[in-house]
Amino acid sequence: MVDEHYPTARTIVLVMDNLNTHDKTSLYEAFEPTEAKRLADKLEIHYTPKHGSWLNMAEIEFSHLSRQCLDRLIESKEILQQEVTAWMNERNQQKNCMEWRFTR
């Protein structure tokens, strides 16, 4: 996937949760050592907090988007952008949507 989608990238930034398989050492289980090192050197990994991750809230919103907006074939990229923008604007007007906060 690295070579297919990002062949010219020097660095690929990943944001992941702290699942025990989400580290560069897992590459060495899937690939030969030289290939694993080549891939690992391209990756810059940032982990979300272990407890109360904001990623969970993002996953919930994507789930709503999937069920409420993307539950059918959409014919073009332009229509997709219009549909998602309309869904997002409507969702942001609702009083029961998530309130994003950041505290230490």
Side-chain angles (χ1 to χ4, degrees):
M1 200 162 128
V2 166
D3 293 333
E4 182 181 333
H5 295 289
Y6 308 102
T8 61
R10 284 186 271 174
T11 304
I12 299 169
V13 179
L14 300 175
V15 177
M16 300 189 295
D17 61 17
N18 282 285
L19 187 65
N20 61 344
T21 60
H22 290 172
D23 62 30
K24 292 179 182 182
T25 58
S26 63
L27 293 171
Y28 289 87
E29 295 173 16
F31 300 100
E32 294 296 321
T34 54
E35 179 66 1
K37 168 110 174 75
R38 183 185 74 81
L39 294 170
D41 288 345
K42 280 190 139 188
L43 302 178
E44 179 183 317
I45 300 175
H46 298 273
Y47 294 101
T48 60
K50 287 185 179 184
H51 303 289
S53 170
W54 59 266
L55 192 55
N56 292 337
M57 294 192 304
E59 289 172 342
I60 291 168
E61 285 299 294
F62 280 124
S63 175
H64 287 295
L65 172 65
S66 178
R67 286 183 280 116
Q68 296 172 357
C69 180
L70 306 177
D71 58 348
R72 66 199 180 286
L73 178 66
I74 298 177
E75 297 178 15
S76 70
K77 181 178 177 181
E78 293 76 22
I79 294 172
L80 173 65
Q81 289 174 324
Q82 292 170 359
E83 294 283 329
V84 170
T85 299
W87 176 87
M88 181 182 63
N89 290 337
E90 184 177 323
R91 184 94 174 140
N92 286 338
Q93 295 300 315
Q94 295 176 2
K95 293 183 182 196
N96 63 349
C97 70
M98 290 187 186
E99 184 176 332
W100 296 84
R101 297 181 186 182
F102 175 79
T103 60
R104 293 193 288 165

